[in-house]
Amino acid sequence: MSRRSPRLSKRLLLAAGIGLLAARRTLATPYALSGRRVLITGGSRGLGLALAREFTSRGARVVLMARSAPELERAAADLRGRGATVHTVTGDLTVAADIERAVEEVARVYGGLDVLVHNAGLIQVGPLENMTEADFREITEINAFAPLRLTRAALPLLRASRGRVLIVSSIGGKVAVPHLAPYSFSKFAVTGLGQALRAELAREGVGVTTVCPWLMQTGSPRHALVKGQVTKEYTLFATLDNLPLLSLDTTVAARRMVDALVRGDAEAMIGGPALLMRYAQALAPQLTADLLALGNRFLPGPSTGDRAVPGASAETALTRKNPIKRASEAEFNEGGSVASGGEGRS
């Protein structure tokens, strides 16, 4: 009996946990999106545009914020062609005045804010040896500090509407991936921010959902900043990002993210590989670390210089001819300027 009791207790606890999770899913009232006012950062292309399509297909009204006015107008035209209500704000999330102006514009146009979507982001690809401290600071400003600042600026509106916040992190915010060190650094930070906001804003009626997607076919690799042996690095990154079965369809990923928000999930892994990596890291951290270290041995080595180039400047015949990549670029407005780089930041 003494040997069986601990095992029995663990099984009972597991069963109780599963039961509570199932009950929460069953009893929780879905957050209806019809008529809701939604602000999406990095909304002019890629995942941001896919999220805007998903929100508006459910009856929401959106404001898209990005840095490029021409890209914003193309995205707005796409959404209006689908019958959506959309407004745009041109601004940079690293500029405090632009953040304040975006919040004021949402309030002016729609009279308030119900959902804030943090999607804008920067991605840097290359060996750690070629990454500088400035790279870590730059990416953390846009991937982590910008969501913090914008949430704080929008909080009075979100409190008034008892609204929701959706933070787009990454599986790189759960498991640090070789050759994406600054990116993982920033995504770990924003994942932690999402958890903190979730705990502290709940008593004010504001829900926070953090989503951690796997690789997605957004067409965004051409906007990544690449260091090291740039041609090899970019070819590998752009190819993995657009492999059938391995990478996610962006429209499906966007739907799952919005579903997580509607359910009120605290956190959601988007894609089977993301879920597997999360559990591998939690259950076998040593093995996961060893496998990642082994994988790093097969990646391109560093270069003698630390200059970063946009992915679009490192295209090869292989990446240009990738049909999934080309289709994604056309579908999600990813053919614009790459001067400033960015994963979803426009």
Side-chain angles (χ1 to χ4, degrees):
M1 287 295 292
S2 60
R3 291 182 179 179
R4 292 182 180 180
S5 295
R7 293 180 183 177
L8 181 61
S9 298
K10 290 179 181 178
R11 290 172 183 171
L12 288 173
L13 286 172
L14 178 60
I18 293 172
L20 288 171
L21 179 62
R24 182 188 178 281
R25 287 283 181 92
T26 303
L27 300 175
T29 303
Y31 186 75
L33 291 173
S34 181
R36 299 290 188 181
R37 301 153 297 185
V38 182
L39 172 60
I40 304 174
T41 66
S44 64
R45 52 181 169 85
L47 177 60
L49 178 56
L51 285 167
R53 289 174 182 169
E54 185 63 29
F55 275 107
T56 55
S57 74
R58 303 189 192 201
R61 299 169 287 168
V62 300
V63 172
L64 307 181
M65 182 181 182
R67 292 180 298 168
S68 169
E71 288 183 2
L72 277 171
E73 287 310 310
R74 285 196 297 271
D78 172 280
L79 293 168
R80 290 178 184 130
R82 300 165 187 262
T85 300
V86 57
H87 185 73
T88 63
V89 178
T90 304
D92 188 328
L93 287 167
T94 64
V95 178
D98 286 1
I99 288 177
E100 294 291 342
R101 181 166 51 82
V103 174
E104 291 169 0
E105 191 71 359
V106 175
R108 182 187 70 80
V109 174
Y110 293 146
L113 176 65
D114 298 297
V115 180
L116 176 58
V117 180
H118 296 294
N119 165 73
L122 182 67
I123 189 164
Q124 301 157 337
V125 182
L128 178 62
E129 187 172 329
N130 291 125
M131 297 297 177
T132 65
E133 184 174 321
D135 292 324
F136 281 82
R137 292 184 181 278
E138 179 187 18
I139 200 168
T140 305
E141 277 293 321
I142 186 63
N143 288 3
F145 279 109
L148 170 62
R149 292 170 182 141
L150 182 55
T151 300
R152 282 182 155 173
L155 201 48
L157 297 180
L158 292 169
R159 285 190 186 113
S161 65
R162 299 181 70 82
R164 298 282 174 102
V165 178
L166 178 64
I167 295 176
V168 179
S169 182
S170 167
I171 185 56
K174 287 291 185 179
V175 182
V177 181
H179 286 223
L180 291 173
Y183 180 76
S184 287
F185 180 87
S186 67
K187 289 298 187 178
F188 265 78
V190 81
T191 300
L193 174 64
Q195 292 175 4
L197 292 175
R198 171 87 180 190
E200 298 217 21
L201 298 182
R203 68 179 182 181
E204 301 180 55
V206 178
V208 180
T209 296
T210 302
V211 291
C212 299
W214 179 250
L215 295 169
M216 294 175 289
Q217 299 162 13
T218 63
S220 64
R222 66 192 309 275
H223 293 272
L225 296 177
V226 188
K227 287 189 168 188
Q229 299 183 50
V230 294
T231 301
K232 292 180 180 179
E233 290 283 355
Y234 178 72
T235 299
L236 179 62
F237 177 63
T239 300
L240 290 175
D241 208 49
N242 292 281
L243 275 182
L245 303 179
L246 178 64
S247 57
L248 300 175
D249 178 276
T250 303
T251 299
V252 173
R255 185 181 309 125
R256 292 177 184 175
M257 292 178 192
V258 177
D259 285 345
L261 176 85
V262 167
R263 289 193 302 266
D265 292 354
E267 197 171 85
M269 300 296 110
I270 307 299
L275 191 62
L276 287 174
M277 285 191 71
R278 176 192 182 185
Y279 283 117
Q281 173 71 15
L283 298 174
Q286 184 66 52
L287 177 61
T288 303
D290 289 345
L291 289 174
L292 289 170
L294 177 63
N296 184 62
R297 293 176 179 272
F298 296 94
L299 297 179
S303 65
T304 55
D306 293 336
R307 186 175 71 92
V309 302
S313 299
E315 296 277 13
T316 64
L318 178 64
T319 58
R320 288 193 189 96
K321 292 179 180 179
N322 186 312
I324 297 176
K325 177 175 174 291
R326 290 172 62 185
S328 297
E329 289 169 353
E331 174 69 11
F332 297 109
N333 195 25
E334 289 283 4
S337 169
V338 295
S340 56
E343 169 192 32
R345 188 183 181 201
S346 306

